[in-house]
């Protein structure tokens, strides 16, 4: 039997996480399915940021390093975030950008791996990994005379050979929403003496993660997607204590700035790393943006009493299952050329659903029309995004990408989003010129 | 004839820059002489930040990358800052932290210098350079098998030998306020084939700087000191166009993230640097903090019609001259053990005055008492800071450090600050136990 709008409303009424939506300043008239790109603002953020600007900065000025505990902020936020990713106390700091943090941990992984085995000269990653991760790895390989090997997901296991130093993967793929089995892959890599770096950009706050349980080596992730920390919010970095606490590797990570120093106010001319994860800090952090990130984390703290990440994961899967089912019931079978890029298996799915669109399904048989469909949806207030494929030359079709944040989305939202998609497709409004004018999208 | 309070008031009344003070939210009851550590909040910052949080993030969400021009923000702020440091259009970006930016430009300078002359294996810097700069340089030297050579200021000329790749200096010394002759030192370095990296942390917005006029190679600086960009505001980076536009050096700077890519939304797996200074961007920036920085820069834009940096410099020198003169007239000669660390010559002075304090002048002949004097001043609302010396073992005495920001300080403020210092010294209130309990200061 087909799902009805009333079914969706009933599920919302029965949703134990429903109250979490009230923590967010959702813009009116919008169904926001882009929380995997930029999360929605928590209502608390405006007052928190105003307090930082007017009181902490404006009135207390330099004293706030102590009185407002600016100096501990990266560690405090790291400790608040730690339970979401299976990290322990004092194992995480929030700082810098995801790309910068990747440079730190990838450098550290190479330093450790190659100290033990100088013959290991490769970094392995996925060809469809998030590009900035590949750019950072490419730069490091060039600098150190190493080789970056890019493989397809099904080739990872065979690529774990004795000349590999580091396996660098993003846990949930940004294009498809496909999720790796972190524990299994980490174990397979370790069996070959390879260190693992995990990018949690599309995982932290979206799916349960257990870094310590998986025995991972290094991890980084993003503050402004599912963690709702604000545009360009500082990122995070986790290092397993077996690596972080190595005093023998003074420059384990090369961005050796004052905030990672053992005695930052001694002003000594030589660098001595702080113990533990603090050595992954570098320069002075953007306190206003960093403070806003706390408001995003506070919602997860509030969610603890409602079942935490396990409950959020259950709702996320229910939302993405519903979206897939409704699209197939209501939008497929009309020659619209839609397909599903995201795995149906729960264990392989993140918190997003990516629809593909066939080449030749665009206006006058040109392109896929996926970009125009996304633009037509945005004009109706349904915010998703578009990721370009390879134009039919390889394995990647154009993608319509929809992120589902269980903190603030409900089942009726899913119904309405699919209803808009159905209307956009059946009315043919996506074929209008205004929606087909491609320009830079983010 | 001695200066009087009335003289100071007269000078304030005649000060053509007086109106700029109204741009700042000065806390009541405070004379703030620590703008070289954290600048005062511009009044516009609260509303600007609120708009970013509630409208750009809260309402427009992901669209703001285009509609609020987030994507151009590092370049727009860089162009606004450029005239303050003698940089041209599209030569500066505001991004990341000072330490991170130093890593970028120092890496680039080494890559360029050593491509031409692999035998150059040294970085020369000052032993009393800001420590985080030395930490970054130490890490890079370790990573690349190079040598960091630290010298005293008077030894710089003799240190410029044919095995030196890069000379890395901070233009205005953070401890003493002593300023280098950028043009002369750069010319001397270039005559030996050495590239120059200038840290403008205590110069930008404080003294006129002419990077292009001096023919400098690379420069970085801080957004939260004299530029009043907010706590931990993103920093800036400038690269001379002769270096920035070198397509042959794909990884000229190693932090090769998506925002520095030539086509950041093409999502190609290989890195291709953007032309010009944009390649010095890396990951996503903290938009809220970056937006606040604009409010600091806007005050300098407003100052343009009042004479700009030349007028600000004239006032800065008048303020620091006055402070030196008043301290010598009113606080010296009583056995207080005060001295002057900052050069009297205008051409060698930044925008701060550092007083020294003799070892043995503290309570019961222990230490210098400088820390306690600074604490007693802070208790009276006169905010300066303390920098520890070497305890009499070398050339550095304990320092009482006072920054003078001509944008928001007046001549009566200087009078009142010195009067508080005189009372603190003559009353002996600095000897109270509460002021002598040392703890972490920033």
């Amino acid at each position: 039997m087909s799902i009805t709008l009333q079914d969706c409303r009933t599920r919302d009424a029965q949703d134990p996480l429903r109250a979490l939506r009230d923590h967010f300043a959702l813009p009116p008239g919008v169904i926001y399915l882009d929380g995997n790109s930029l999360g929605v603002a928590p209502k608390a953020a405006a007052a928190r940021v105003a307090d930082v600007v007017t009181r902490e900065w404006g009135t207390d000025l330099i004293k706030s390093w102590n009185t407002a505990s600016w100096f501990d902020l990266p560690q405090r936020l790291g400790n608040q975030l730690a339970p979401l990713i299976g990290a322990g106390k004092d194992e995480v700091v929030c700082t810098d950008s995801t790309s910068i943090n990747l440079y730190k941990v990838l450098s550290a992984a190479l330093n450790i791996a190659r100290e033990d085995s100088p013959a290991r000269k490769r970094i392995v990653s996925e060809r469809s990994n998030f590009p900035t991760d590949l750019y950072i790895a490419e730069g490091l390989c060039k600098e150190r005379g190493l080789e970056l090997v890019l493989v397809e997901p099904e080739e990872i296991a065979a690529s774990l050979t004795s000349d590999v130093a580091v396996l660098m993967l993003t846990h949930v793929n940004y294009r498809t929403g496909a999720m790796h089995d972190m524990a299994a892959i980490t174990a397979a890599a370790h069996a070959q003496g390879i260190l693992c770096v995990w990018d949690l950009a599309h995982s932290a706050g979206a799916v349960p993660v257990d870094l310590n349980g998986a025995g991972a080596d290094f991890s980084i992730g993003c503050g402004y997607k599912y963690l709702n920390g604000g545009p360009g919010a500082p990122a995070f970095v986790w290092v397993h204590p077996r690596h972080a606490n190595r005093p023998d590797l003074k420059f384990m990570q090369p961005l050796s700035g004052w905030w990672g120093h053992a005695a930052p106010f001694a002003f000594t001319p030589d660098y001595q790393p702080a113990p533990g994860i603090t050595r992954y800090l570098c320069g002075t952090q953007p306190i206003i943006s960093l403070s806003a990130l706390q408001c995003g984390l506070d919602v997860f703290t509030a969610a603890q009493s409602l079942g935490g990440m396990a409950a959020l994961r259950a709702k996320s899967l229910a939302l993405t299952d519903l979206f897939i089912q409704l699209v197939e019931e209501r939008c497929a079978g009309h020659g619209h050329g839609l397909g599903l890029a995201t795995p149906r298996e729960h264990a392989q799915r993140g918190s997003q659903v990516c629809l593909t669109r066939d080449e030749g399904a665009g206006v006058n048989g040109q392109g896929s029309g996926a970009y125009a469909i996304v633009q037509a949806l945005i004009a109706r207030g349904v915010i998703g995004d578009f990721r370009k494929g390879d134009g039919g030359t390889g394995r990647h079709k154009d993608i319509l990408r929809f992120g589902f944040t269980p903190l603030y989305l409900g089942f009726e939202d899913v119904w309405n989003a699919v209803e808009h998609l159905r209307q956009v497709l059946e009315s043919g409004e996506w074929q209008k010129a205004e929606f087909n004018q491609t320009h830079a999208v983010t």
Side-chain angles (χ1 to χ4, degrees), chain A residues 21-40:
Chain A
R21 184 186 183 100
D22 295 336
H23 288 270
F24 292 92
L26 288 160
V30 164
I31 301 172
Y32 193 67
L33 306 180
D34 218 355
N36 49 343
S37 184
L38 172 63
V40 167

Side-chain angles (χ1 to χ4, degrees), chain A residues 375-431:
Chain A
Q375 292 303 112
L377 283 169
I378 290 172
R380 285 166 166 263
V382 180
I383 317 286
D385 60 29
F386 164 76
R387 288 291 179 263
K388 200 166 167 45
D390 49 32
T393 63
R395 57 197 282 155
H396 297 300
K397 293 183 180 179
D398 282 1
I399 275 180
L400 300 85
R401 194 175 72 153
F402 304 101
F404 293 85
T405 303
L407 291 170
Y408 51 73
L409 286 174
F411 297 92
E412 185 174 349
D413 293 324
V414 175
W415 173 276
N416 289 334
V418 175
E419 183 60 16
H420 280 294
L421 175 61
R422 189 185 66 76
Q423 291 175 15
V424 162
L425 290 169
E426 297 195 352
S427 70
E429 71 188 70
W430 63 272
Q431 300 181 34

Side-chain angles (χ1 to χ4, degrees), chain A residues 89-107:
Chain A
K89 187 166 182 303
D90 298 331
E91 292 179 8
V92 183
V93 284
C94 293
T95 185
D96 292 331
S97 69
T98 312
S99 300
I100 299 279
N101 287 337
L102 180 60
Y103 187 84
K104 296 174 192 169
V105 298
L106 201 50
S107 299

